[in-house]
Each structure stands twice: as C-alpha cells, then as structure tokens.
C-alpha cells in the first residue's frame, strides 16, 4: 500500500498556530538568555545556556519545517521523527542548564518562558510521534 500523500503531509506538518507559538516562545527565551538580566552562580553557565538555546531554536526550525521537498512519503515521516528526537535531546540539554539560572531581575521571567516552551513541546511531541510511528507501522505490516 502506498502512503496517502495528504495523510502524510498532515502528520509531518505542524499547524500554523503551534508553529507561531513555538517561534514566539523560543524568540522570547532567546532574548532573555542573551539580553536579559539573568545570573548564575556557576561560572561559564550562561554562555553555554545561550548556545544550547540557540541550538534548540535550530532544532525547532527543523521540527516545524516543511518536508514537501522530500520526495518519498516514508522519508518525510522518518525525517519528522528524527526532528522530533533532536528536539527532545536539545530540550534535555537546555533543561540541565536552566536549573543553574538562579539570579537576576529577569530570572523568574526566564524560568516562566522556559516552562511555557517546554510544556508546549511536551503536549505536541508525543502525539505527533505516535501518529508518525503508526503510519510507518501500517506500511510495514502491509509489506509483510
């Protein structure tokens, strides 16, 4: 059985509202990480945090990206799953460093922004991955 192109497109594409929310939340978090008055008692933590938040943004761009340029539907699905895994890993890396942000006038705003972004992704990632995996499983079961 061939994949239904519309079903695949729907599964690998983030809805516009979620995409915009992720972009806004990440941008706000990045601005606070770079320009905000946040502090850490751990030497060198803030530069690492900035790099990790930037990396998370790059992963989010891939996660939310258009996959129509990938010719085969199965590869679109695998690419979307890969992007999801990369976002999960980037989230874990940022989470480790966020714990070290412990001072500054914008510390609470930074933690609040981080929590909001993390919650949005936690709500989106698991169902999206489950849908993608079920599409792949259906294809493999029919091939056997």
């Amino acid at each position: 059985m061939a994949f239904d192109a519309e079903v695949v497109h729907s599964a690998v594409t983030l809805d516009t509202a979620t995409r915009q929310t992720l972009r806004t939340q990440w941008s706000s978090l990045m601005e606070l990480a770079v320009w905000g008055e946040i502090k850490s008692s751990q030497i060198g933590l803030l530069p690492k945090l900035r790099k990790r938040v930037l990396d998370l943004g790059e992963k989010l761009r891939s996660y939310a990206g258009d996959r129509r340029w990938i010719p085969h539907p199965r590869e679109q699905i695998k690419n979307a799953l890969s992007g999801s895994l990369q976002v999960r890993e980037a989230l874990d890396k940022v989470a480790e460093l966020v714990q070290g942000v412990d001072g500054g006038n914008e510390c609470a705003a930074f933690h609040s922004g981080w929590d909001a972004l993390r919650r949005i992704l936690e709500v989106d990632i698991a169902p999206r991955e489950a849908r993608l995996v079920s599409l792949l499983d259906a294809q493999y079961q029919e091939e056997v």
Side-chain angles (χ1 to χ4, degrees):
M1 173 185 114
F3 285 108
D4 179 341
E6 191 58 38
V7 171
V8 171
H9 179 69
S10 173
V12 302
T13 304
L14 217 56
D15 66 87
T16 305
T18 303
R19 180 185 168 105
Q20 186 58 43
T21 301
L22 286 173
R23 184 176 181 170
T24 302
Q25 285 296 130
W26 175 83
S27 295
S28 175
L29 187 68
M30 190 71 215
E31 183 173 339
L32 284 168
V34 174
W35 292 102
E37 190 180 323
I38 58 173
K39 297 179 182 178
S40 175
S41 56
Q42 299 174 31
I43 295 173
L45 182 128
L46 293 178
K48 287 180 191 173
L49 175 68
R50 291 178 190 118
K51 289 177 186 176
R52 294 290 186 198
V53 173
L54 179 60
D55 182 60
L56 174 60
E58 291 173 348
K59 304 299 188 223
L60 286 173
R61 174 66 178 96
S62 174
Y63 179 75
D66 184 4
R67 291 179 172 76
R68 286 181 286 196
W69 63 271
I70 302 172
H72 196 282
R74 183 185 318 205
E75 296 307 314
Q76 291 178 13
I77 294 168
K78 289 165 64 176
N79 183 273
L81 283 169
S82 173
S84 182
L85 176 62
Q86 290 176 10
V87 167
R88 283 181 183 270
E89 290 173 351
L91 280 171
D92 290 343
K93 289 177 182 177
V94 173
E96 292 173 12
L97 297 172
V98 166
Q99 296 172 13
V101 176
D102 54 12
N105 289 339
E106 294 179 292
C107 180
F110 180 80
H111 282 283
S112 175
W114 164 249
D115 290 340
L117 179 61
R118 187 179 42 82
R119 276 192 303 272
I120 293 165
L121 285 164
E122 287 174 352
V123 167
D124 189 68
I125 287 176
R128 187 173 190 216
E129 287 176 347
R131 187 172 178 198
L132 293 168
V133 168
S134 71
L135 283 172
L136 284 178
D137 284 348
Q139 170 100 38
Y140 289 129
Q141 287 173 358
E142 290 195 12
E143 288 179 0
V144 174

